[in-house]
Amino acid sequence: GWVWEYKCTPLYLSPIVFDARDAHKAGLAYSWELTVPPVRAIFLLTNQEYMSSLFTVSERSHAGFLCMSKLARLYPSEEYCSLQDIADELHISLAYLEEIAVRLKRADLVQARKGPQGGYRLSRSPQEITAEMMLVALEGPLHLVQCQDPAQTCPAQDRCQNRGFWGKLRTTIHDTLQSTTLEQLLAL
């Protein structure tokens, strides 16, 4: 939700003309100042939902991980499982799950078989599939900021003081994803 913060100081400042609706549409945090002699009032409005989205797992990744967990539980039996059964169990739209399955199949994490005994199963053991493999298959490579993507150029690259921090954070997340197997996910 939205949070209002109000501060007063005995200063005279010119008012800042600002249309809050534009920032609201963009989902950005914003603030404005209003001069009311002899008090300056500053209203700070932030969208907490926007700020928390930095580390929010997408619905696609969440559903993909649930699907892979279901298939991992069935792996010892070497059974194929229909997407309809998974969709019903997880309360996910079949069409949406089909899109997810295509991505997982393209990354060779699952295999499909047509026919009455058909469906999907893991293409390798849960011990060999990492959380990183699944996340990259579902979302693409992990880049927290633009300068971490080799295909992008960052205008502030030469003078950025935060690059090391973002790199360290990316490495920590990457290492955790890479060292966590699907088998371990089932045990957590």
Side-chain angles (χ1 to χ4, degrees):
W2 296 100
V3 177
W4 287 91
E5 181 179 321
Y6 175 78
K7 296 179 182 177
C8 293
T9 56
L11 300 173
Y12 291 95
L13 296 173
S14 301
I16 296 174
V17 178
F18 184 81
D19 188 352
R21 291 172 297 188
D22 291 337
H24 175 70
K25 286 180 206 170
L28 301 174
Y30 56 87
S31 66
W32 70 87
E33 299 175 13
L34 173 65
T35 302
V36 182
V39 174
R40 174 183 147 204
I42 302 174
F43 296 91
L44 176 64
L45 182 62
T46 60
N47 181 339
Q48 290 177 330
E49 292 168 10
Y50 173 75
M51 297 304 288
S52 67
S53 69
L54 177 62
F55 296 110
T56 300
V57 174
S58 74
E59 184 61 36
R60 178 179 35 217
S61 290
H62 186 237
F65 272 55
L66 290 172
C67 177
M68 291 294 285
S69 295
K70 168 72 174 175
L71 296 176
R73 287 191 299 277
L74 295 173
Y75 183 78
S77 69
E78 297 184 9
E79 290 178 42
Y80 283 82
C81 184
S82 78
L83 288 182
Q84 184 64 61
D85 290 345
I86 297 172
D88 291 344
E89 182 180 321
L90 301 177
H91 305 287
I92 299 171
S93 138
L94 177 60
Y96 188 54
L97 195 55
E98 286 171 343
E99 290 176 26
I100 291 169
V102 166
R103 289 173 184 256
L104 296 170
K105 189 172 186 276
R106 195 178 307 138
D108 195 33
L109 297 178
V110 298
Q111 53 186 241
R113 183 169 75 184
K114 294 181 180 183
Q117 300 298 318
Y120 284 82
R121 72 176 185 182
L122 296 181
S123 61
R124 58 190 103 162
S125 76
Q127 298 95 334
E128 298 174 47
I129 298 173
T130 65
E132 181 207 21
M133 295 166 127
M134 294 186 300
L135 197 60
V136 168
L138 296 164
E139 302 293 341
L142 174 65
H143 302 298
L144 298 178
V145 290
Q146 188 176 1
C147 64
Q148 292 175 342
D149 183 353
Q152 301 287 326
T153 57
C154 176
Q157 187 170 336
D158 295 338
R159 56 192 178 285
C160 179
Q161 300 298 310
N162 300 310
R163 202 166 175 206
F165 167 75
W166 292 115
K168 182 178 177 182
L169 182 58
R170 180 187 178 275
T171 299
T172 301
I173 293 170
H174 181 265
D175 291 348
T176 301
L177 292 170
Q178 199 171 42
S179 66
T180 306
T181 65
L182 180 53
E183 181 180 57
Q184 292 169 327
L185 285 174
L186 293 178
L188 294 176

